[in-house]
Amino acid sequence: MQAFTYQVPTKVIFGRETEQQAGPAVQAEGGSTVLVLYGGGSAVRSGLLGRVTASLTGCGLRWYTKGGIQPNPVLRFVCETLEEYRDKEIDFILGVGGGSVLDTAKALAAGLPRPEVPVWDYYSGKEKPITAIPVGAVLTIAAAGSETSDSTVLTNEATQEKRGFNAEWNRPRFAILNPELTYTLPPYQTACGVADILMHTLDRYFSDVQGNELTDALAEAILRTTVRFGKTALVRPDDYEARSELMWCGSLSHNNLTGLGRTKDFTVHQLGHELSGRYGMAHGASLAIMWPAWARQVWTRDPARFARLGRTVFGVSEEDDGQAALAAIAAVEACFRDLGLPVSLGQSEAGVIPEEELEALALGCSRGRSRSVGSFCPLDHDGLLAVYRAANH
């Protein structure tokens, strides 16, 4: 094993009807005035928001609700909410939803204590957070793993930039995980969530660091479980076993457990963020498009690594590592297709795009040619552009 530091302080409250424990969970963290965030109207129509706020009321807590958070959450909403609740003495933020809601919660948690700092400065790298209001999560989709992660992502609509930052302050104090809350998700959202779980694992699995057998085995177990139960959840949306397995895989995929002793790569996420920021593309769909294109550009860097993925997760039987590597890439791509996700730009809402837009995507990802991206096979502007071109069909 390589050296690492591992700390995941999030308390996980897992199982049926666990949303009714929201009040005691906030109270245990010292919260007294809670800002409850949610996305669309489904949280209200389903009664989930009512159950959560009833639990808060039952513990004598004050609370406010704020809805309307969209997929690929935006800076404008965060800034407006900061102004609206700056003087409400908020001391706890509770996100009821998925990754977009929790990303927004983390942005507000960093922004409320320091009104003198523009919140985008954290995402652009100009400032580092030094304190934050505590955050909790009531999860409604198995996907981003934001409920146990130290990361947050936000889109600046004015510049079409999608950026993130990592900090221990970002980790929720608790995560309430009731798999039944995911039963009514549209199939496409379920599929995008599965892709996100797979990619959070794969972006750690492909590393320039060798060894760490247990880390590999844990990652492979999460990948196999996600592939298996992702298909089941699409066929039987109310299958508790499938939904519960996916929900736990999502949490474990992004809390760094599957990257211990490794350097993260996350090139595919960086490539996908540019698509989401420019075209509003669903995050999971952007990953499904970019991974096959990226993999076919870089697999020769370590064919044995791709071959191991194919053999341990997808049952690839080719003995030659090169052939097994290509079969593994094809198997991941087929998995995305089976989920109903696009695997090229031409299959997405963006469509095949002009060369000048590909150049703009590569410039954005390379920060104007100022950086290379990734650790497994670092890509400069030209390398990133080659991947976008490979996906543009």
Side-chain angles (χ1 to χ4, degrees):
M1 290 296 295
Q2 305 297 319
F4 62 83
T5 298
Y6 183 61
Q7 179 183 14
V8 181
T10 304
K11 179 180 181 179
V12 175
I13 305 169
F14 193 101
R16 291 182 171 93
E17 300 183 354
T18 45
E19 67 271 17
Q20 297 179 20
Q21 299 182 41
V26 172
Q27 195 172 47
E29 296 296 337
S32 61
T33 304
V34 187
L35 176 57
V36 183
L37 302 173
Y38 64 98
S42 61
V44 178
R45 293 190 299 271
S46 68
L48 172 59
L49 192 65
R51 294 194 297 275
V52 169
T53 55
S55 180
L56 298 176
T57 299
C59 290
L61 303 175
R62 290 199 311 156
W63 50 267
Y64 302 90
T65 61
K66 177 73 173 180
I69 299 169
Q70 65 184 56
N72 293 314
V74 296
L75 175 64
R76 175 182 50 78
F77 181 95
V78 170
C79 292
E80 291 173 356
T81 306
L82 285 171
E83 290 302 313
E84 185 177 356
Y85 290 95
R86 183 78 70 188
D87 300 323
K88 303 295 186 184
E89 299 181 338
I90 302 297
D91 59 14
F92 199 92
I93 300 175
L94 182 61
V96 180
S100 296
V101 171
L102 297 180
D103 282 339
T104 303
K106 293 173 182 182
L108 292 168
L112 280 171
R114 300 179 71 194
E116 73 281 4
V117 178
V119 72
W120 186 249
D121 283 1
Y122 298 127
Y123 292 85
S124 65
K126 292 181 181 179
E127 282 278 347
K128 291 186 177 181
I130 57 175
T131 186
I133 292 173
V135 171
V138 178
L139 193 65
T140 61
I141 180 172
S146 189
E147 66 275 7
T148 59
S149 82
D150 65 353
S151 65
T152 170
V153 179
L154 204 61
T155 297
N156 186 331
E157 291 175 296
T159 61
Q160 294 185 318
E161 295 175 288
K162 187 174 183 179
R163 300 286 182 261
F165 74 88
N166 294 62
E168 281 304 313
W169 306 104
N170 285 334
R171 290 194 194 275
R173 299 293 182 88
F174 64 81
I176 291 175
L177 276 56
N178 176 1
E180 291 180 325
L181 299 180
T182 67
Y183 284 0
T184 58
L185 284 170
Y188 193 68
Q189 286 190 28
T190 295
C192 284
V194 170
D196 206 5
I197 296 169
L198 292 174
M199 293 314 308
H200 278 146
T201 309
L202 289 173
D203 275 348
R204 292 175 170 91
Y205 189 77
F206 286 96
S207 169
D208 58 345
V209 178
Q210 303 296 319
N212 302 292
E213 178 62 29
L214 179 58
T215 297
D216 279 348
L218 291 168
E220 290 155 2
I222 289 173
L223 293 168
R224 286 192 300 269
T225 304
T226 302
V227 170
R228 173 186 172 187
F229 287 105
K231 296 176 182 178
T232 303
L234 288 177
V235 176
R236 298 193 299 275
D238 60 351
D239 187 309
Y240 185 84
E241 180 185 24
R243 293 294 191 175
S244 61
E245 294 286 353
L246 287 176
M247 186 166 266
W248 189 224
C249 282
S251 291
L252 295 182
S253 73
H254 201 31
N255 68 2
N256 287 334
L257 179 67
T258 60
L260 295 182
R262 297 201 177 282
T263 53
K264 301 179 200 176
D265 186 88
F266 275 75
T267 304
V268 175
H269 266 76
Q270 296 291 316
L271 289 160
H273 284 339
E274 296 302 318
L275 294 177
S276 294
R278 182 171 289 267
Y279 302 108
M281 189 180 297
H283 178 56
S286 76
L287 302 177
I289 290 168
M290 296 315 308
W291 194 87
W294 168 84
R296 291 189 173 103
Q297 291 291 313
V298 306
W299 72 269
T300 55
R301 174 62 61 95
D302 190 352
R305 192 71 183 153
F306 283 90
R308 173 168 175 156
L309 169 69
R311 291 166 182 148
T312 60
V313 177
F314 294 98
V316 166
S317 59
E318 283 84 347
E319 293 184 3
D320 176 76
D321 278 355
Q323 294 178 1
L326 293 173
I329 296 168
V332 175
E333 187 175 52
C335 175
F336 290 147
R337 282 202 184 97
D338 289 345
L339 292 168
L341 295 172
V343 294
S344 70
L345 284 168
Q347 297 172 7
S348 74
E349 60 265 49
V352 175
I353 62 178
E355 177 67 20
E356 59 268 21
E357 291 191 34
L358 297 178
E359 177 71 27
L361 289 168
L363 281 171
C365 198
S366 66
R367 304 290 195 270
R369 300 177 181 265
S370 68
R371 67 168 187 164
S372 292
V373 178
S375 58
F376 176 75
C377 181
L379 298 177
D380 59 11
H381 169 272
D382 291 342
L384 296 166
L385 180 58
V387 177
Y388 282 123
R389 284 172 173 161
N392 196 32
H393 60 88

